[in-house]
Amino acid sequence: MINFEKLGLLKIIGQIYPVSDLLQNDLIQYVKVEAIPRKTYLLKDGDIFQRMYFIEKGLARAYYFDDGKENTSWFMKEGDFIISVNSFYRQQPSQENIQLLEDSVMASISYEDLQHLYLKHLEFNIISRVLTEHYYSLSEERLFAMRQSSVKHRYDYFMTHYPDLVNRVSSKQVASFLRTSPESISRLRAQR
């Protein structure tokens, strides 16, 4: 049994804004914590994302297909939240897949329960706004980096922002994230 009070989720949201006892009690009621095996899909293209996840332990990636080619959108690891923004907040079919790359321990909350917490707890709205700003900023930064014409610049971005993922994800997945070939990734790794 996982001790809810020791979850990284509580630590992270508590660093943003003090969590009242009432909010903590509701989180205990609504947040589901579970071990999920690698290769599990949290979302498949065409499905609606029903739960927002927080990674206590593990690694995930989002990807989509363009002209039959697999493109990785992002990697998320311990301490990160996982969401398919349009699918979750608009409750519409997704255009991406989200798959676990490692055995993981995840804390999650349903769309309906999240809406309930927003209505009931002002501090939870503040926490959510700060997290939304953080992840939106990271998304903009990532998009700008991926627009760089040089594969080396994109690889340097990856190595600077995700150095701990080098040994956790395959060259093929890194290549699809950086929009290049696995051979290019191997050459860049050899140059380091």
Side-chain angles (χ1 to χ4, degrees):
M1 184 76 172
I2 298 169
N3 184 340
F4 191 84
E5 287 77 18
K6 293 189 178 186
L7 289 179
L9 171 64
L10 279 182
K11 180 180 177 188
I12 284 180
I13 64 175
Q15 290 171 344
I16 295 170
Y17 196 88
V19 176
S20 68
D21 290 342
L22 289 173
L23 175 55
Q24 183 165 326
N25 288 337
D26 279 349
L27 287 169
I28 290 169
Q29 179 181 346
Y30 293 124
V31 171
K32 178 181 176 183
V33 180
E34 60 187 322
I36 306 174
R38 70 186 286 270
K39 295 188 179 182
T40 299
Y41 280 89
L42 302 178
L43 177 67
K44 288 188 176 181
D45 181 2
D47 292 345
I48 296 174
F49 203 51
Q50 298 295 330
R51 303 188 73 80
M52 176 187 292
Y53 292 87
F54 175 81
I55 306 175
E56 291 289 335
K57 176 184 174 292
L59 177 65
R61 78 173 178 126
Y63 67 94
Y64 63 94
F65 289 96
D66 184 25
D67 288 331
K69 185 178 178 187
E70 189 177 290
N71 294 289
T72 297
S73 306
W74 50 254
F75 297 100
M76 294 293 175
K77 58 185 173 45
E78 296 83 5
D80 285 327
F81 288 86
I82 297 177
I83 189 167
S84 177
V85 174
N86 284 335
S87 182
F88 185 76
Y89 286 119
R90 294 182 178 171
Q91 289 294 280
Q92 67 185 29
S94 174
Q95 297 177 334
E96 65 184 345
N97 301 282
I98 300 176
Q99 184 181 33
L100 296 179
L101 299 178
E102 297 176 351
D103 292 339
S104 301
V105 175
M106 312 287 281
S108 68
I109 189 167
S110 72
Y111 175 81
E112 293 79 16
D113 291 340
L114 184 67
Q115 300 310 310
H116 178 77
L117 291 178
Y118 287 152
L119 290 172
K120 189 173 177 183
H121 300 282
L122 176 61
E123 74 260 36
F124 200 66
N125 286 277
I126 295 168
I127 291 165
S128 181
R129 178 185 54 80
V130 170
L131 286 169
T132 299
E133 290 171 359
H134 171 73
Y135 281 98
Y136 187 77
S137 178
L138 289 177
S139 178
E140 285 284 310
E141 184 180 287
R142 187 171 54 243
L143 283 171
F144 180 76
M146 293 306 110
R147 287 187 209 128
Q148 299 295 312
S149 60
S150 163
V151 173
K152 183 177 181 337
H153 282 107
R154 295 192 306 266
Y155 185 72
D156 288 344
Y157 168 85
F158 179 81
M159 292 302 294
T160 300
H161 291 84
Y162 305 98
D164 56 324
L165 296 186
V166 171
N167 296 319
R168 294 174 73 181
V169 299
S170 72
S171 291
K172 180 181 174 186
Q173 291 165 345
V174 173
S176 79
F177 178 67
L178 299 178
R179 312 297 184 260
T180 190
S181 69
E183 295 77 23
S184 293
I185 297 301
S186 293
R187 279 193 299 276
L188 287 165
R189 282 183 174 171
Q191 292 172 4
R192 284 191 162 257

